[in-house]
Amino acid sequence: MTYDNLLVDYSPGLAIVTINRPKALNALNQQTLIELESAFCSLAEAPDVQVVIITGSGEKAFVAGADIAAMQPLNALEARQFAKLGHQVMHKIEGCPKPVIAAVNGFALGGGCELALGCDIRIASENARFGQPEVNLGVIPGFGGTQRLARLVGKGRAMELIMTGTMIDADEAYRIGLANRVVAAEQLLETAKKLAETIISKGPYAVKLAKQAVHNGLELDLDRANQYEAELFGLCFATKDQKEGMQAFLDKRPAQFEGE
Ligand code: CAA
């Protein structure tokens, strides 16, 4: 499938989704959001894709936010619909049965920071800048930032970022746990691909269940979350990959996972 505002490239086990509106620093308008949702519907089902990387085109921005020009004339009901579309897309990415890595190659502001927050892992280039600058525009984050940022970096830090609209650099994002690691700009995609390769070499079914356990379990109390984990742990033992993974360890040889 081809898109107007996205590029999707494939290599073995991997899909790289590039948000491609460089003239607007890859800002998310309605069409881009719809395309993202459609791309993730396909990628979730694609048997040859085990990991997805999201990045932005150009050297300046991952995504500089929701599209301000498109939002400016909206009325309250239209703005609520737009926020719901954004939520739907972030939810789709977060719930994708495959790991999603954000390769943050520049500004990740507003909806761009929220897109990165919807991913499982965030790798930042040294020139990455993160922030929720919505208060500068007289609005609040609308694609889940008030919730996911607070859950990831803690309430106090999220409050400060959201209430001041301050932009932080990659090192600060790493320090507060918003970025998993920081690398030189020219190493960004390579680092994300290497990380993807490491994940691809593991049992795909186990990786899928691990994501599900962490993601869904975090919203439960500890007892229920551990019960949920035990159910998924048990489910692993219904797979050929579990038998192969453990037998390979006992045989002192690398495992050959089939994703079954
Ligand atoms: N929406 C629409 N267009 C945008 C955009 C955005 N979020 N961010 C940048 N652009 C456009 C600019 O309007 C400009 O277009 P023109 O060349 O046609 O004038 C082009 O991208 C380049 O931007 P700048 O000239 O501003 O580049 P800069 O290097 O001087 O500044 C920047 C870069 C600091 C990222 C600045 O562009 C900026 O502050 N952008 C807005 C960031 C922002 O406020 N994001 C939050 C949006 S609200 C939101 O996301 C709500 C939500 O949660 C759903």
Side-chain angles (χ1 to χ4, degrees), residues 6-257:
L6 298 183
L7 302 169
V8 185
D9 295 305
Y10 297 93
S11 55
L14 178 65
I16 301 181
V17 176
T18 305
I19 318 286
N20 188 32
R21 293 188 73 214
K23 282 187 187 153
L25 300 187
N26 306 320
L28 299 174
N29 59 5
Q30 181 168 323
Q31 188 187 342
T32 311
L33 288 167
I34 290 169
E35 289 185 3
L36 262 174
E37 189 179 18
S38 154
F40 271 86
C41 282
S42 308
L43 293 170
E45 301 298 326
D48 46 349
V49 173
Q50 283 171 251
V51 176
V52 182
I53 294 173
I54 303 182
T55 194
S57 74
E59 288 166 9
K60 202 166 164 184
F62 174 69
V63 167
D67 191 308
I68 299 169
M71 281 186 296
Q72 197 279 338
L74 298 184
N75 65 32
L77 290 179
E78 290 165 341
R80 186 174 69 177
Q81 269 316 109
F82 188 58
K84 283 188 170 176
L85 174 61
H87 285 155
Q88 212 171 290
V89 174
M90 306 315 159
H91 183 75
K92 185 97 209 161
I93 293 171
E94 196 170 48
C96 177
K98 296 144 189 198
V100 183
I101 301 168
V104 181
N105 57 314
F107 292 111
L109 302 175
C113 189
E114 290 165 308
L115 176 62
L117 286 166
C119 298
D120 300 308
I121 296 171
R122 284 152 292 281
I123 314 273
S125 64
E126 281 167 347
N127 67 324
R129 297 286 178 275
F130 293 80
Q132 296 289 163
E134 286 87 350
V135 288
N136 296 327
L137 303 165
V139 298
I140 67 169
F143 292 170
T146 59
Q147 303 309 305
R148 289 196 181 88
L149 186 62
R151 281 165 170 76
L152 186 66
V153 304
K155 188 174 164 187
R157 287 188 173 119
M159 285 288 197
E160 186 177 337
L161 282 169
I162 291 168
M163 288 174 174
T164 63
T166 308
M167 226 189 276
I168 57 172
D169 65 17
D171 287 338
E172 177 66 359
Y174 173 70
R175 198 184 67 78
I176 66 173
L178 178 48
N180 289 61
R181 59 176 108 155
V182 181
V183 298
E186 54 284 6
Q187 295 296 317
L188 179 67
L189 218 48
E190 234 12 75
T191 306
K193 283 183 186 171
K194 277 205 181 103
L195 180 61
E197 275 165 24
T198 301
I199 296 171
I200 289 166
S201 72
K202 312 299 174 190
Y205 203 75
V207 170
K208 174 182 150 178
L209 293 185
K211 172 167 174 171
Q212 207 175 310
V214 174
H215 175 55
N216 295 339
L218 268 180
E219 300 306 321
L220 303 174
D221 65 66
L222 189 58
D223 279 351
R224 280 167 207 259
N226 278 335
Q227 177 60 39
Y228 181 56
E229 182 191 77
E231 299 297 339
L232 297 185
F233 183 76
L235 194 52
C236 293
F237 287 72
T239 67
K240 286 185 190 164
D241 283 354
Q242 175 269 326
K243 299 288 174 257
E244 163 62 11
M246 293 192 177
Q247 192 58 52
F249 174 83
L250 297 172
D251 295 347
K252 302 189 189 304
R253 61 171 172 83
Q256 300 291 325
F257 292 119

